[in-house]
Amino acid sequence: MHAGLHSRLSSHHQRGKHNHHRHNSSSLEEGLANLDETTNGNAPAPPARTRRGNYNNNNNTNSFWSNGKNGGGQTNAFSRDGAIPSVLRDKFGTHTGGNKNKKISAWKRWQPLLFAAILIGFPLSNAVFFFGAHVMPTLFSSGSSSGLEQSGMMSPATSKSPKFSGKQKEGVFGAIGSEYEDEGDEDEDEEVSDDFMEGYDHKKNKKKSLDRKRKMDPSTTEPFPALSDFLDPYREHYESFFDASSEAWRIKKYGRICIVSDYVLGLSTGSGPATAVTTLAEELHESGFDVTILYTGYAIHKPPDVEFWTGYYTAKGINVIALPETGVSYDVPVDIAIAHRVFMWMNDQQWYDCVHFLDNRGRGYFALTAKKQALAFKHTEFVVHAQQPHLWYKTNSLQTLDTLHDLVIDYLEKEQMKMADHIVAPSQYILKWFAEQGWEWNRTKSTRVHTNPLPKWVKSKNKIAHEASTINEIVFFSRFELRKGIVLFCDAMDQLALRGDTQIMKGVRVTFLGHLSNSAEEKLTIKGGARARVDQYIRQRAKKWSFHWQILKDMDVKQRYEYIEEGNANNKLVVLPSLLENSPYTLVECLVMGIPVVASDVGSAREFIDDDDAERVLFVPTPKPLAGKIRDILKNGFVPGKSKIKQDVEKDWTIWQHHLVHQSKDSSNAMSTLQTWEEPLVTVIVVTYNNPKLLKQALQSIYEQEYTKVEVVLIDDGSTLPEAQAYLREIDAEFKRKGWVYLQQDNRGPGAARNNGAKHARGEFIMFMDDDNFAKPREIATFVSVAMHTKADVLTCTNEYFYGLELPGNRPPIGRWVPLGAATTVGMFQNLYGDTNAMIRRKVFLDIGGFPEDYGYALEDWELFSKSVLGGYKLESIPSPLYWYRIRDTSHSHETAKYGNAARTIRPYLRQIPQKLHHIVLFAQGMKDSHDVAAGQLEEQNGQMRDVRKMLKTLATSLNDLCDDGLIPTTAKNQVENSQFALDEDDPSIVESPSYERLEEKNKRFKSWSPFADGYNIDKRNGRISESSSDTRALRMQNPDWKDARGAVQEIHLHQKEPSAVIISGWSKARDVSGASDGGYSIYADIKFIDGKMMYGYSVAFDVGTHTWQFKAGVIDPIVAIESITLYAMFRWHAGTAWFDDVTVSSLKEGLCDYTKLTLEGLGPDKGNGGKIGPGGNRDEL
C-alpha cells in the first residue's frame, strides 16, 4: 500500500509568519547585536476517497509559501556560518570559530539546535524545519561512516542499525562542510562524553574556523573560470556571425533556445532576474537564434495581462509561452508540480538545442533527471544560471525556515545544479557560497562566471564622468526590504539628522524609491512593538529628521532612472545599502550610466566596480560608515565610479550559445553508443487480501508488459471472502504452468506478506505491486533501463490517479503524484521518496531487512525507503508516469492509526542518532503534524466561507429577481442624510471647518456629517460610480501614523415602536492601510434603545491593505426597539488612506430590495482575488 498517505496534507501548507528574531530595536546595530546574543544562546482533500493526504494543486497551483523569492543551500538564518555577511559578523562580533577540544566541536554542531529550539523559545514550527535542514544532513553525512561518527557524536561501534548494514556511498547526505573535513584528523571520531555541553566557551572558536578554511577544497578559494577566457579559442571561428556585411543571420535561425523562468519583464516586477532573462532572450533573438521563453510564473500569479505581453514579445520575434494548464491535479507541493509540468511540456515539444533554467526553485529538476536517466533530452544542453537560491535568500533576509516547502525547494535546487550540463554565474561570490555550503556540481568542466547582459537602453547611456558634482538629493534606490538595507539606511539618516549635521543636510532631500511589498514577511517593528508596512516604518523613523524627505510611488525600471536623470542627473546620489547581494543589477546600471552611486561592500559588489574606484564607492554596511560616506560626499562632491564590465558581454553570450548549439548538434549527428546489458530477471511481488476483481486487473497489466523476463510471486494474506478464495484456486494452476509462485499465509499485514514473497524471489530485482493498481506497459522496462543506466539500487516513479473498479483504459488521469527522490531531509517529515509500487535490488532488500512487519500499521514503504537511503543506497525516482493508482476509501493506510504510522516511519532516523537526542526528532515530527492539522483546519474554514458566499449570492440573486418582478415591496428609506456625499461645494449645508489641515479641502465639511477626532476630507473626484451611485464625491481620510484618528459622525433617529431589524452598510476603498481588520476601519455604530440602555461598538469592518471599492454590511436584530444610532465612518488605529461612500441605515423589512442590490454589487463577479490589488492588479485605479 502507499506509504505517504497520512503524511501528505489535505491542504496547502501556510507559511508561518514567526519572525521572533527580528527584535524590536529601531537600530540595525541593536537588532543584529540582539541576533548575535540569540545565536550564542544567551537570549532569553481531494475527496475523502483519496488515499494520500493531498495538496490538490490542480494547475491553479497556488504557492503556499510564496513569497516570493527564491533559493537553496543549507544555511539557517541564525547559524553562524552564513546567516550574516562576514563584514557584519566582524562588525557585530558574531562568533564563527571552533575549539581545540574536538568534543566541543561536536557541541558546536548541536548548539544551534539545542539552544535555538529549546532554550530561547524558537518558534515551534521553526524547530521542526531547522532540524530537518541543518541537523539531519550533519547526522547522516556521506562517506564510509555516518555523519555522527564524523562529527564525534557517536562511536563507530554504536553508529549502525542492527537491521541494516550501514553501507555508505559517496553523495548520500553530504553534510554542510563535510567534504572539507580532514579525514586524517585522529580526534574527529572521538566519542563525546555525557557532559560535553559543560564549560563551553564561545570565545575559543576562532582557531577552529581558521583550521577549517585551510582544509577546504581549493576550488572554494581559487577563482572559478571566466566565460570570456573559455571562449578565447572559439572567437575567430564565430566572428563571421557578427560580420555586418553578412545578411545570413537575418534569415537563418542558428538554433532553438528555450529559457525557463518565473520572471519576465512586464509579467513580473522589474527585478534583476526578470531583466537578465528578458535581455538575454532579446540578445539571442537579434543574433539569429529561435528563442522561446517558458513563463512558469503564470502557474502561481496568473497575471491578467499575459495575453498582451505574449503578443508584445511575439511582435519582437520572441515566443513567450505561459506554462499551459494540464487539467490534472497534482498531489504534491506546488514547486514539485510546476517542475514536473515543465518536464511534461518539454517532453512534448520539438527538440531544443539548449535550455536555460534559473537556479531558483528548481524548475528544471525533472527535465534534468530525465536526461540523467537517459529517458529524454539526450541531445539538449542544459544550462543552470546560479543567481539566487532559496536558502541564500531566506537566510540573508533574516527569515526563518518555517515550512516543509523550504526543504523541498532546497532539494530541487541542489539536485538541479548537480545534474546540469553547464553552470553560469554572474559572480565569483555566489559560486563560492555554493561551495562553502557543500553543494555538488561539476566545478571544473562546466562552470563559468559571466556578467548578465545589460539592456540596450542602459548601454546607450554609457558615460564616464571626470568631474565631481554637488549632491542635493539622496535616493534610497531599491526594494523596501530588510535585506536591501532599509533599516540600515534609516539608521544612517538618524545620524545625519543630528544637530551637528544640520548645515550639511540643509537643502538636501531624501527620497525613497522602490517596490513596496505587501508580504507580511516584509513588515518591520515600530515603536511600541507593532508590526507595520515598510512605508509606515519609514514615516515613524522620519519623525526624528529635520530635512525634507519623500516616498515616491513605485515605477518601472526606466521610469526610476528617468527620475534620477531629471534636471542634472549628477546631483542625485543613489544609495544601495543592501546587507547582501549576488549580482546587483542596479549598481552595474548606475556605474555604466555614470550616475553617482555608493553601495554596501557585501557579496559580489566589488567584482563589478573598477579597482581604482572601489574604495570611494563602497562602504561597510553599518550606520556610522554609511553616514560618514554621505557626509563626506555632501561636503566635497562626488565623481561617479566606473564599471569593470567589459563592453562585449553580450557578444560573449552569443558566442557561447553558438558553441552550445554546435555541441548539441554534434551529439545528435554522432553515432549513438548503445549501452548493452544482459536483461536481469525481475520478480514482481503482489500481495492480495479479499480483492479478486482488482487482482485480476493487476495481473493482466503484468501480462501486458513489454519487458518479458519476469516472474510473479503472489501472496494471499489470509483472504476470507469465498469469491477471493475461488479466484485464487483458479489461478494457482496457471501460476504452476508459468513457473511462478503462489503462497498463502495467515493475515499478518502487507509488510510481512511482502517479506515472505521476497524469500521466494529469484530475480536480481524485486518489483512490488499492490493488487488494486494497474501497471502501464513500459513500467518494468523503464525501471530496468534506468537501473542499468544509473546503477540505482531502489527505483520509484510518478503515478496517475483514477477512480472506479474498471480498467483505467485511455481516460485522462484525475490526479498525479510525483515523488521527489532521495530527499532525506524532507523524508523525515513526509514521504516523497515514492510509493510501494517500486523496484529494488533483491540483495539490497535483504541487506536492509525488508519491510517492517508491525501488524495493524501502514506506511511500511516509507520506512523501507528511509532505511535504504540512510543506509547509503542509491534511490532514483523516475518522472514519467509508469502506473495507475486507484483511489479507494478502503485502502490499508486509511484503516490504520495515523499517528502510529508516523511514529514508525521515524525509526530509521532515530537509529542514526544517540538515544539522548531521540526526543528532539520526535518533537520535530510532532510539530510538523500539528502544523498539518492547523493548516487543514484553516483550509476547511476557508472552504466553508467560500460555500457561504456562493449560497449568499444565490439567495441575493433570487431575491433581486423577486424585487424586479414587483413581488417584494420596495418602499425602503435610507435614514442617513447625504449618504452619497453628493451636495455641491457651495451648498449651504457645507460649512467651514478648521479641523482637517493636511489635505487640499481642509476647510470644508458637510453640515450633516460632523468631524470625529481629526475629521475628514471631501474628495471631489474619487467617489464610487455605479448604477446606484452616480456622484463623484467621497469622504477621504489619511492617517500618517497608526495612532492618528479620523472620521465622520451622524446622529440617526429611528424612534422604533417595536423591535425591527436594521441594516447598516457602506462602501470603502483603501490604500496601504496597516494593521489587521477591526473596528478601527469600519462603519461603526453606537446604539441607544428606547429603554435608555446603550450598545457601544457595533462595527462592520473593511479589509486592510490596498483594495478597490468594497461593500460591507451588517444586520442589527434588536430585542428592544431602537431609539437612535450614532453612526461613524471610522478610521483610527490604522495608518494609510481610506475612502467612504454610499453609507446606509434602513429597515431590513422595508429595504430588502435595496439591500439585496447592494449585496450583489458587493459580492461582485466570482474573481479569485476579490478585488485585491496584487500580482496583475492595478494600483493606479486608486
Side-chain angles (χ1 to χ4, degrees), residues 191-430:
E191 185 175 1
V192 178
S193 63
D194 290 338
D195 58 347
F196 71 96
M197 290 185 289
E198 296 180 6
Y200 182 75
D201 186 354
H202 293 283
K203 296 181 180 179
K204 296 180 180 179
N205 288 333
K206 187 168 291 186
K207 185 177 184 300
K208 174 74 175 181
S209 178
L210 295 174
D211 291 342
R212 184 175 182 273
K213 289 182 179 179
R214 296 189 189 101
K215 297 174 185 177
M216 288 175 65
D217 190 288
S219 63
T220 65
T221 56
E222 297 176 1
F224 289 89
L227 179 63
S228 57
D229 296 336
F230 168 76
L231 294 176
D232 283 341
Y234 305 100
R235 293 186 190 281
E236 184 177 352
H237 174 73
Y238 291 110
E239 197 63 37
S240 61
F241 290 102
F242 300 94
D243 187 352
S245 63
S246 173
E247 297 295 321
W249 68 270
R250 299 181 185 276
I251 304 170
K252 179 182 177 182
K253 294 298 183 185
Y254 287 128
R256 301 186 73 241
I257 308 295
C258 181
I259 304 175
V260 181
S261 174
D262 283 7
Y263 312 99
V264 179
L265 284 180
L267 290 167
S268 52
T269 58
S271 63
T275 304
V277 165
T278 308
T279 305
L280 178 60
E282 291 173 345
E283 290 289 342
L284 295 180
H285 164 70
E286 292 178 6
S287 298
F289 293 94
D290 182 358
V291 180
T292 296
I293 298 178
L294 180 62
Y295 173 53
T296 48
Y298 182 74
I300 299 174
H301 303 302
K302 300 287 190 301
D305 49 359
V306 66
E307 291 186 7
F308 167 81
W309 286 106
T310 54
Y312 168 82
Y313 284 109
T314 299
K316 299 182 71 170
I318 299 172
N319 186 26
V320 174
I321 299 174
L323 182 63
E325 305 287 356
T326 64
V328 177
S329 170
Y330 275 81
D331 186 15
V332 287
V334 61
D335 284 292
I336 296 179
I338 293 174
H340 193 263
R341 288 169 57 189
V342 169
F343 157 70
M344 298 290 281
W345 179 85
M346 288 185 57
N347 207 26
D348 291 337
Q349 305 305 304
Q350 182 185 348
W351 164 27
Y352 285 103
D353 297 295
C354 182
V355 179
H356 294 257
F357 293 103
L358 303 189
D359 60 350
N360 181 247
R361 295 185 174 268
R363 301 304 190 214
Y365 170 76
F366 289 109
L368 287 160
T369 298
K371 181 174 183 179
K372 179 185 70 170
Q373 296 172 351
L375 297 175
F377 316 120
K378 181 178 180 181
H379 305 299
T380 297
E381 297 293 311
F382 285 115
V383 179
V384 171
H385 294 243
Q387 294 191 351
Q388 193 174 7
H390 181 68
L391 257 63
W392 177 87
Y393 175 82
K394 292 206 75 171
T395 55
N396 290 297
S397 299
L398 303 184
Q399 297 179 19
T400 58
L401 306 182
D402 52 7
T403 71
L404 181 66
H405 203 55
D406 290 319
L407 306 183
V408 169
I409 296 173
D410 182 47
Y411 181 80
L412 288 170
E413 292 175 344
K414 285 181 177 177
E415 292 301 305
Q416 174 183 257
M417 190 163 174
K418 183 177 180 181
M419 295 183 290
D421 298 318
H422 308 275
I423 302 292
V424 63
S427 66
Q428 294 282 342
Y429 158 77
I430 195 64

Side-chain angles (χ1 to χ4, degrees), residues 959-1013:
L959 289 173
N960 190 57
D961 291 342
L962 294 175
C963 292
D964 291 342
D965 294 339
L967 300 177
I968 298 179
T970 56
T971 58
K973 178 184 177 182
N974 185 2
Q975 301 294 328
V976 177
E977 186 178 351
N978 192 18
S979 64
Q980 297 184 354
F981 315 109
L983 298 179
D984 293 334
E985 212 173 301
D986 56 357
D987 189 281
S989 65
I990 297 181
V991 299
E992 298 296 318
S993 170
S995 62
Y996 203 94
E997 299 183 355
R998 283 190 172 88
L999 300 172
E1000 64 274 15
E1001 300 294 333
K1002 63 183 179 181
N1003 294 323
K1004 302 292 183 182
R1005 71 172 175 85
F1006 292 110
K1007 184 177 181 181
S1008 53
W1009 288 92
S1010 300
F1012 168 76

Side-chain angles (χ1 to χ4, degrees), residues 39-57:
T39 57
N40 281 286
N42 297 327
R49 297 177 64 189
T50 302
R51 296 200 296 172
R52 315 166 192 283
N54 292 330
Y55 287 88
N56 244 357
N57 290 324

Side-chain angles (χ1 to χ4, degrees), residues 804-909:
L805 301 180
E806 304 304 321
L807 294 171
N810 295 321
R811 72 178 78 178
I814 63 168
R816 189 174 285 146
W817 185 68
V818 186
L820 192 56
T824 45
T825 51
V826 178
M828 176 178 167
F829 304 104
Q830 179 178 341
N831 178 23
L832 286 174
Y833 292 125
D835 179 59
T836 303
N837 199 308
M839 193 171 83
I840 184 171
R841 294 182 188 271
R842 180 165 59 92
K843 182 180 182 303
V844 172
F845 182 81
L846 298 176
D847 190 25
I848 62 177
F851 286 100
E853 298 188 0
D854 309 73
Y855 184 78
Y857 294 93
L859 309 186
E860 61 282 339
D861 50 357
W862 183 356
E863 188 168 353
L864 175 78
F865 297 140
S866 295
K867 286 198 299 182
S868 62
V869 175
L870 296 179
Y873 295 102
K874 184 175 182 179
L875 184 148
E876 285 285 335
S877 184
I878 298 171
S880 302
L882 298 183
Y883 71 98
W884 289 94
Y885 186 98
R886 181 179 272 108
I887 303 298
R888 295 196 302 147
D889 286 336
T890 56
S891 71
H892 180 63
S893 52
H894 269 204
E895 297 174 347
T896 52
K898 175 181 177 181
Y899 296 106
N901 289 336
R904 293 167 63 253
T905 61
I906 205 68
R907 293 187 297 198
Y909 291 86

